[in-house]
Amino acid sequence: NFMLTQPHSVSGSPGKTVTISCTRSSGSIASNYVQWYQQRPGSAPTTVIYEDNQRPSGVPDRFSGSINSSSNSASLTISGLKTEDEADYYCQSYDSSNQDVVFGGGTKLTV
Amino acid sequence: EVQLVESGGGLVRPGGSLRLSCGASGSTFTNAWMTWVRQAPGKGLEWVGRIKSKIDGGTTDYAAPVKGRFTISRDDSKNTLYLQMNSLKTEDTAVYYCATANLYYDPYFFHYWGQGTLVTVSS
């Protein structure tokens, strides 16, 4: 399987913008969708971005997703940071060859 | 809206066995691919394995670390998913989540999660 690599941590001040990257080790990032999850301590993950760049209802438009084929990576951008955004964020995709699910290692966002 | 509730976690000795259950609400369970994901203390999310819906073959797939030791099954009449864990190792200590997709989207992505159940493997 390929790997999805995320930075261990990122930080930003309230009101600022941060971007979390998710780099695919082999194969094209565009070949399968990427989904992003937010996980607060003691809670199950929740989806903040699906199908690369779609927001579920209820997720603020401060959250956006994109993919970049040149860097073979996906990105989660959070603008207008709020203290409530402080959480762990995970990217996830799957391997078409065997249908195995792949998670990134997770990024701790500190606001 | 699908609700998932795991149960069956606890303390078990290395080499022991444990069976987890995940009860699902709603009428979509039969058509859903159901997945187990775990999270070791202070670590990231790890896919454990999946069982497809019977209409899609009902087959199972497992991550390499658990293959041959863990078995996923389902009882559609009870809207319940199971994870039978045998030959447990200390590195299997984790919160185990069941998860599933919204049926309108790819079954490889998860929109619904349970609250998790803690499995501790220790002597």
mmCIF file of all heavy atoms in Angstrom, chain B residues 17-54:
data_model
loop_
_atom_site.group_PDB
_atom_site.id
_atom_site.type_symbol
_atom_site.label_atom_id
_atom_site.label_comp_id
_atom_site.label_asym_id
_atom_site.label_seq_id
_atom_site.Cartn_x
_atom_site.Cartn_y
_atom_site.Cartn_z
ATOM 1 N N SER B 17 -8.550 -13.993 23.952
ATOM 2 C CA SER B 17 -9.524 -13.650 22.918
ATOM 3 C C SER B 17 -10.569 -12.701 23.465
ATOM 4 O O SER B 17 -10.806 -12.643 24.679
ATOM 5 C CB SER B 17 -10.223 -14.918 22.394
ATOM 6 O OG SER B 17 -9.317 -15.819 21.815
ATOM 7 N N LEU B 18 -11.192 -11.983 22.555
ATOM 8 C CA LEU B 18 -12.249 -11.046 22.917
ATOM 9 C C LEU B 18 -13.126 -10.856 21.692
ATOM 10 O O LEU B 18 -12.622 -10.883 20.557
ATOM 11 C CB LEU B 18 -11.650 -9.710 23.351
ATOM 12 C CG LEU B 18 -12.477 -8.781 24.242
ATOM 13 C CD1 LEU B 18 -12.799 -9.451 25.570
ATOM 14 C CD2 LEU B 18 -11.699 -7.490 24.483
ATOM 15 N N ARG B 19 -14.421 -10.668 21.900
ATOM 16 C CA ARG B 19 -15.304 -10.364 20.782
ATOM 17 C C ARG B 19 -15.987 -9.027 21.018
ATOM 18 O O ARG B 19 -16.650 -8.826 22.042
ATOM 19 C CB ARG B 19 -16.361 -11.451 20.574
ATOM 20 C CG ARG B 19 -17.158 -11.243 19.290
ATOM 21 C CD ARG B 19 -18.158 -12.335 19.008
ATOM 22 N NE ARG B 19 -19.428 -12.118 19.718
ATOM 23 C CZ ARG B 19 -20.590 -12.619 19.341
ATOM 24 N NH1 ARG B 19 -20.666 -13.369 18.252
ATOM 25 N NH2 ARG B 19 -21.679 -12.392 20.049
ATOM 26 N N LEU B 20 -15.831 -8.134 20.055
ATOM 27 C CA LEU B 20 -16.492 -6.845 20.083
ATOM 28 C C LEU B 20 -17.754 -6.893 19.237
ATOM 29 O O LEU B 20 -17.814 -7.623 18.244
ATOM 30 C CB LEU B 20 -15.568 -5.752 19.543
ATOM 31 C CG LEU B 20 -14.190 -5.621 20.190
ATOM 32 C CD1 LEU B 20 -13.443 -4.427 19.571
ATOM 33 C CD2 LEU B 20 -14.268 -5.510 21.678
ATOM 34 N N SER B 21 -18.725 -6.100 19.639
ATOM 35 C CA SER B 21 -19.964 -5.964 18.869
ATOM 36 C C SER B 21 -20.203 -4.507 18.542
ATOM 37 O O SER B 21 -19.730 -3.608 19.245
ATOM 38 C CB SER B 21 -21.158 -6.489 19.678
ATOM 39 O OG SER B 21 -21.003 -7.851 19.999
ATOM 40 N N CYS B 22 -20.920 -4.286 17.469
ATOM 41 C CA CYS B 22 -21.298 -2.926 17.065
ATOM 42 C C CYS B 22 -22.743 -2.986 16.584
ATOM 43 O O CYS B 22 -23.021 -3.581 15.533
ATOM 44 C CB CYS B 22 -20.370 -2.426 15.968
ATOM 45 S SG CYS B 22 -20.905 -0.877 15.202
ATOM 46 N N GLY B 23 -23.633 -2.396 17.358
ATOM 47 C CA GLY B 23 -25.040 -2.348 16.976
ATOM 48 C C GLY B 23 -25.327 -1.089 16.175
ATOM 49 O O GLY B 23 -24.832 -0.011 16.498
ATOM 50 N N ALA B 24 -26.106 -1.254 15.119
ATOM 51 C CA ALA B 24 -26.417 -0.135 14.239
ATOM 52 C C ALA B 24 -27.909 0.134 14.206
ATOM 53 O O ALA B 24 -28.722 -0.797 14.184
ATOM 54 C CB ALA B 24 -25.922 -0.423 12.817
ATOM 55 N N SER B 25 -28.253 1.409 14.211
ATOM 56 C CA SER B 25 -29.649 1.798 14.067
ATOM 57 C C SER B 25 -29.935 2.046 12.595
ATOM 58 O O SER B 25 -29.021 2.218 11.788
ATOM 59 C CB SER B 25 -29.927 3.068 14.860
ATOM 60 O OG SER B 25 -29.219 4.152 14.283
ATOM 61 N N GLY B 26 -31.182 2.099 12.223
ATOM 62 C CA GLY B 26 -31.552 2.433 10.861
ATOM 63 C C GLY B 26 -31.724 1.213 9.978
ATOM 64 O O GLY B 26 -31.297 0.114 10.316
ATOM 65 N N SER B 27 -32.303 1.432 8.816
ATOM 66 C CA SER B 27 -32.647 0.330 7.918
ATOM 67 C C SER B 27 -31.593 0.096 6.840
ATOM 68 O O SER B 27 -31.772 -0.731 5.956
ATOM 69 C CB SER B 27 -33.990 0.633 7.248
ATOM 70 O OG SER B 27 -33.898 1.850 6.536
ATOM 71 N N THR B 28 -30.479 0.827 6.936
ATOM 72 C CA THR B 28 -29.486 0.735 5.861
ATOM 73 C C THR B 28 -28.370 -0.247 6.151
ATOM 74 O O THR B 28 -27.499 -0.443 5.319
ATOM 75 C CB THR B 28 -28.868 2.125 5.608
ATOM 76 O OG1 THR B 28 -28.237 2.571 6.821
ATOM 77 C CG2 THR B 28 -29.926 3.122 5.193
ATOM 78 N N PHE B 29 -28.386 -0.880 7.328
ATOM 79 C CA PHE B 29 -27.276 -1.747 7.723
ATOM 80 C C PHE B 29 -27.028 -2.836 6.698
ATOM 81 O O PHE B 29 -25.888 -3.112 6.352
ATOM 82 C CB PHE B 29 -27.563 -2.369 9.095
ATOM 83 C CG PHE B 29 -26.449 -3.237 9.614
ATOM 84 C CD1 PHE B 29 -25.361 -2.673 10.272
ATOM 85 C CD2 PHE B 29 -26.470 -4.620 9.447
ATOM 86 C CE1 PHE B 29 -24.328 -3.464 10.758
ATOM 87 C CE2 PHE B 29 -25.444 -5.416 9.927
ATOM 88 C CZ PHE B 29 -24.359 -4.844 10.583
ATOM 89 N N THR B 30 -28.082 -3.432 6.206
ATOM 90 C CA THR B 30 -27.944 -4.567 5.282
ATOM 91 C C THR B 30 -27.115 -4.207 4.054
ATOM 92 O O THR B 30 -26.362 -5.026 3.536
ATOM 93 C CB THR B 30 -29.334 -5.069 4.858
ATOM 94 O OG1 THR B 30 -30.034 -5.502 6.020
ATOM 95 C CG2 THR B 30 -29.235 -6.218 3.874
ATOM 96 N N ASN B 31 -27.255 -2.994 3.576
ATOM 97 C CA ASN B 31 -26.560 -2.574 2.360
ATOM 98 C C ASN B 31 -25.216 -1.907 2.621
ATOM 99 O O ASN B 31 -24.539 -1.491 1.680
ATOM 100 C CB ASN B 31 -27.442 -1.607 1.570
ATOM 101 C CG ASN B 31 -28.709 -2.274 1.074
ATOM 102 O OD1 ASN B 31 -28.691 -3.446 0.707
ATOM 103 N ND2 ASN B 31 -29.805 -1.536 1.075
ATOM 104 N N ALA B 32 -24.824 -1.803 3.884
ATOM 105 C CA ALA B 32 -23.621 -1.047 4.223
ATOM 106 C C ALA B 32 -22.393 -1.940 4.353
ATOM 107 O O ALA B 32 -22.468 -3.045 4.876
ATOM 108 C CB ALA B 32 -23.834 -0.287 5.527
ATOM 109 N N TRP B 33 -21.269 -1.441 3.865
ATOM 110 C CA TRP B 33 -19.979 -2.048 4.183
ATOM 111 C C TRP B 33 -19.604 -1.544 5.571
ATOM 112 O O TRP B 33 -19.636 -0.351 5.831
ATOM 113 C CB TRP B 33 -18.911 -1.609 3.192
ATOM 114 C CG TRP B 33 -19.104 -2.084 1.792
ATOM 115 C CD1 TRP B 33 -20.251 -2.558 1.207
ATOM 116 C CD2 TRP B 33 -18.104 -2.111 0.774
ATOM 117 N NE1 TRP B 33 -20.034 -2.872 -0.100
ATOM 118 C CE2 TRP B 33 -18.708 -2.623 -0.400
ATOM 119 C CE3 TRP B 33 -16.752 -1.767 0.724
ATOM 120 C CZ2 TRP B 33 -18.021 -2.780 -1.594
ATOM 121 C CZ3 TRP B 33 -16.049 -1.924 -0.465
ATOM 122 C CH2 TRP B 33 -16.687 -2.427 -1.603
ATOM 123 N N MET B 34 -19.220 -2.463 6.436
ATOM 124 C CA MET B 34 -18.918 -2.098 7.809
ATOM 125 C C MET B 34 -17.434 -2.295 8.085
ATOM 126 O O MET B 34 -16.831 -3.287 7.654
ATOM 127 C CB MET B 34 -19.743 -2.932 8.779
ATOM 128 C CG MET B 34 -21.252 -2.750 8.643
ATOM 129 S SD MET B 34 -21.793 -1.056 8.940
ATOM 130 C CE MET B 34 -21.295 -0.827 10.640
ATOM 131 N N THR B 35 -16.859 -1.366 8.818
ATOM 132 C CA THR B 35 -15.406 -1.318 9.010
ATOM 133 C C THR B 35 -15.052 -1.189 10.485
ATOM 134 O O THR B 35 -15.800 -0.570 11.255
ATOM 135 C CB THR B 35 -14.844 -0.106 8.227
ATOM 136 O OG1 THR B 35 -14.997 -0.344 6.835
ATOM 137 C CG2 THR B 35 -13.372 0.131 8.541
ATOM 138 N N TRP B 36 -13.940 -1.762 10.868
ATOM 139 C CA TRP B 36 -13.346 -1.541 12.186
ATOM 140 C C TRP B 36 -12.066 -0.723 12.011
ATOM 141 O O TRP B 36 -11.234 -1.015 11.149
ATOM 142 C CB TRP B 36 -13.024 -2.852 12.882
ATOM 143 C CG TRP B 36 -14.219 -3.607 13.360
ATOM 144 C CD1 TRP B 36 -14.838 -4.649 12.724
ATOM 145 C CD2 TRP B 36 -14.960 -3.383 14.568
ATOM 146 N NE1 TRP B 36 -15.924 -5.080 13.462
ATOM 147 C CE2 TRP B 36 -16.015 -4.326 14.600
ATOM 148 C CE3 TRP B 36 -14.840 -2.485 15.630
ATOM 149 C CZ2 TRP B 36 -16.933 -4.389 15.645
ATOM 150 C CZ3 TRP B 36 -15.754 -2.550 16.664
ATOM 151 C CH2 TRP B 36 -16.785 -3.488 16.675
ATOM 152 N N VAL B 37 -11.946 0.305 12.837
ATOM 153 C CA VAL B 37 -10.761 1.160 12.884
ATOM 154 C C VAL B 37 -10.310 1.196 14.343
ATOM 155 O O VAL B 37 -11.145 1.269 15.246
ATOM 156 C CB VAL B 37 -11.086 2.586 12.392
ATOM 157 C CG1 VAL B 37 -9.873 3.511 12.567
ATOM 158 C CG2 VAL B 37 -11.534 2.564 10.934
ATOM 159 N N ARG B 38 -9.018 1.175 14.580
ATOM 160 C CA ARG B 38 -8.551 1.250 15.969
ATOM 161 C C ARG B 38 -7.574 2.393 16.152
ATOM 162 O O ARG B 38 -7.022 2.922 15.187
ATOM 163 C CB ARG B 38 -7.917 -0.073 16.403
ATOM 164 C CG ARG B 38 -6.593 -0.413 15.730
ATOM 165 C CD ARG B 38 -6.092 -1.779 16.186
ATOM 166 N NE ARG B 38 -4.822 -2.142 15.568
ATOM 167 C CZ ARG B 38 -4.204 -3.307 15.758
ATOM 168 N NH1 ARG B 38 -4.753 -4.243 16.561
ATOM 169 N NH2 ARG B 38 -3.061 -3.563 15.159
ATOM 170 N N GLN B 39 -7.399 2.756 17.401
ATOM 171 C CA GLN B 39 -6.498 3.855 17.742
ATOM 172 C C GLN B 39 -5.794 3.514 19.047
ATOM 173 O O GLN B 39 -6.419 3.510 20.116
ATOM 174 C CB GLN B 39 -7.279 5.169 17.872
ATOM 175 C CG GLN B 39 -6.412 6.384 18.075
ATOM 176 C CD GLN B 39 -7.219 7.669 17.931
ATOM 177 O OE1 GLN B 39 -8.382 7.748 18.325
ATOM 178 N NE2 GLN B 39 -6.583 8.698 17.375
ATOM 179 N N ALA B 40 -4.521 3.201 18.954
ATOM 180 C CA ALA B 40 -3.734 2.924 20.144
ATOM 181 C C ALA B 40 -3.580 4.205 20.957
ATOM 182 O O ALA B 40 -3.671 5.313 20.411
ATOM 183 C CB ALA B 40 -2.357 2.386 19.741
ATOM 184 N N PRO B 41 -3.355 4.089 22.247
ATOM 185 C CA PRO B 41 -3.254 5.285 23.109
ATOM 186 C C PRO B 41 -2.216 6.273 22.592
ATOM 187 O O PRO B 41 -1.054 5.919 22.367
ATOM 188 C CB PRO B 41 -2.834 4.701 24.462
ATOM 189 C CG PRO B 41 -3.346 3.305 24.448
ATOM 190 C CD PRO B 41 -3.237 2.847 23.025
ATOM 191 N N GLY B 42 -2.653 7.500 22.355
ATOM 192 C CA GLY B 42 -1.765 8.549 21.889
ATOM 193 C C GLY B 42 -1.313 8.418 20.454
ATOM 194 O O GLY B 42 -0.436 9.174 20.006
ATOM 195 N N LYS B 43 -1.904 7.480 19.710
ATOM 196 C CA LYS B 43 -1.482 7.231 18.323
ATOM 197 C C LYS B 43 -2.585 7.590 17.350
ATOM 198 O O LYS B 43 -3.664 8.047 17.734
ATOM 199 C CB LYS B 43 -1.088 5.757 18.155
ATOM 200 C CG LYS B 43 0.021 5.300 19.086
ATOM 201 C CD LYS B 43 1.323 6.026 18.828
ATOM 202 C CE LYS B 43 2.446 5.481 19.684
ATOM 203 N NZ LYS B 43 3.711 6.239 19.477
ATOM 204 N N GLY B 44 -2.318 7.368 16.079
ATOM 205 C CA GLY B 44 -3.258 7.716 15.030
ATOM 206 C C GLY B 44 -4.265 6.611 14.740
ATOM 207 O O GLY B 44 -4.286 5.556 15.375
ATOM 208 N N LEU B 45 -5.106 6.875 13.752
ATOM 209 C CA LEU B 45 -6.127 5.920 13.336
ATOM 210 C C LEU B 45 -5.505 4.830 12.475
ATOM 211 O O LEU B 45 -4.655 5.104 11.622
ATOM 212 C CB LEU B 45 -7.216 6.644 12.545
ATOM 213 C CG LEU B 45 -7.937 7.778 13.277
ATOM 214 C CD1 LEU B 45 -8.847 8.540 12.315
ATOM 215 C CD2 LEU B 45 -8.724 7.248 14.449
ATOM 216 N N GLU B 46 -5.946 3.603 12.695
ATOM 217 C CA GLU B 46 -5.441 2.462 11.930
ATOM 218 C C GLU B 46 -6.619 1.617 11.463
ATOM 219 O O GLU B 46 -7.430 1.153 12.263
ATOM 220 C CB GLU B 46 -4.485 1.615 12.779
ATOM 221 C CG GLU B 46 -3.938 0.406 12.044
ATOM 222 C CD GLU B 46 -3.086 -0.492 12.917
ATOM 223 O OE1 GLU B 46 -3.220 -0.451 14.157
ATOM 224 O OE2 GLU B 46 -2.283 -1.272 12.372
ATOM 225 N N TRP B 47 -6.702 1.401 10.162
ATOM 226 C CA TRP B 47 -7.741 0.531 9.613
ATOM 227 C C TRP B 47 -7.461 -0.903 10.019
ATOM 228 O O TRP B 47 -6.341 -1.393 9.875
ATOM 229 C CB TRP B 47 -7.733 0.669 8.098
ATOM 230 C CG TRP B 47 -8.742 -0.158 7.369
ATOM 231 C CD1 TRP B 47 -10.099 0.013 7.360
ATOM 232 C CD2 TRP B 47 -8.464 -1.277 6.513
ATOM 233 N NE1 TRP B 47 -10.679 -0.933 6.542
ATOM 234 C CE2 TRP B 47 -9.700 -1.731 6.013
ATOM 235 C CE3 TRP B 47 -7.300 -1.935 6.132
ATOM 236 C CZ2 TRP B 47 -9.803 -2.812 5.136
ATOM 237 C CZ3 TRP B 47 -7.394 -3.009 5.259
ATOM 238 C CH2 TRP B 47 -8.637 -3.446 4.778
ATOM 239 N N VAL B 48 -8.491 -1.575 10.547
ATOM 240 C CA VAL B 48 -8.354 -2.965 10.984
ATOM 241 C C VAL B 48 -8.876 -3.918 9.908
ATOM 242 O O VAL B 48 -8.238 -4.901 9.559
ATOM 243 C CB VAL B 48 -9.127 -3.192 12.297
ATOM 244 C CG1 VAL B 48 -9.162 -4.679 12.665
ATOM 245 C CG2 VAL B 48 -8.512 -2.362 13.422
ATOM 246 N N GLY B 49 -10.059 -3.602 9.386
ATOM 247 C CA GLY B 49 -10.633 -4.468 8.375
ATOM 248 C C GLY B 49 -12.075 -4.114 8.094
ATOM 249 O O GLY B 49 -12.643 -3.197 8.712
ATOM 250 N N ARG B 50 -12.656 -4.826 7.165
ATOM 251 C CA ARG B 50 -13.970 -4.482 6.653
ATOM 252 C C ARG B 50 -14.725 -5.738 6.235
ATOM 253 O O ARG B 50 -14.124 -6.729 5.839
ATOM 254 C CB ARG B 50 -13.769 -3.570 5.448
ATOM 255 C CG ARG B 50 -14.900 -3.566 4.439
ATOM 256 C CD ARG B 50 -14.516 -2.878 3.137
ATOM 257 N NE ARG B 50 -13.447 -3.551 2.455
ATOM 258 C CZ ARG B 50 -12.331 -2.934 2.011
ATOM 259 N NH1 ARG B 50 -12.171 -1.646 2.194
ATOM 260 N NH2 ARG B 50 -11.396 -3.617 1.397
ATOM 261 N N ILE B 51 -16.050 -5.647 6.290
ATOM 262 C CA ILE B 51 -16.897 -6.663 5.691
ATOM 263 C C ILE B 51 -17.865 -5.972 4.747
ATOM 264 O O ILE B 51 -18.510 -4.983 5.103
ATOM 265 C CB ILE B 51 -17.645 -7.509 6.765
ATOM 266 C CG1 ILE B 51 -18.417 -8.645 6.103
ATOM 267 C CG2 ILE B 51 -18.554 -6.657 7.636
ATOM 268 C CD1 ILE B 51 -18.883 -9.717 7.091
ATOM 269 N N LYS B 52 -17.941 -6.473 3.543
ATOM 270 C CA LYS B 52 -18.844 -5.892 2.564
ATOM 271 C C LYS B 52 -20.283 -6.349 2.831
ATOM 272 O O LYS B 52 -20.516 -7.318 3.572
ATOM 273 C CB LYS B 52 -18.428 -6.298 1.159
ATOM 274 C CG LYS B 52 -17.058 -5.760 0.755
ATOM 275 C CD LYS B 52 -16.696 -6.177 -0.660
ATOM 276 C CE LYS B 52 -15.339 -5.624 -1.068
ATOM 277 N NZ LYS B 52 -14.943 -6.028 -2.431
ATOM 278 N N SER B 53 -21.217 -5.659 2.233
ATOM 279 C CA SER B 53 -22.606 -6.085 2.319
ATOM 280 C C SER B 53 -22.771 -7.416 1.588
ATOM 281 O O SER B 53 -21.984 -7.744 0.684
ATOM 282 C CB SER B 53 -23.524 -5.033 1.695
ATOM 283 O OG SER B 53 -23.181 -4.855 0.333
ATOM 284 N N LYS B 54 -23.776 -8.162 1.944
ATOM 285 C CA LYS B 54 -23.990 -9.462 1.294
ATOM 286 C C LYS B 54 -24.250 -9.286 -0.193
ATOM 287 O O LYS B 54 -23.814 -10.097 -1.013
ATOM 288 C CB LYS B 54 -25.132 -10.206 1.971
ATOM 289 C CG LYS B 54 -24.729 -10.801 3.316
ATOM 290 C CD LYS B 54 -25.735 -11.776 3.861
ATOM 291 C CE LYS B 54 -25.194 -12.586 5.034
ATOM 292 N NZ LYS B 54 -24.567 -11.800 6.084
#
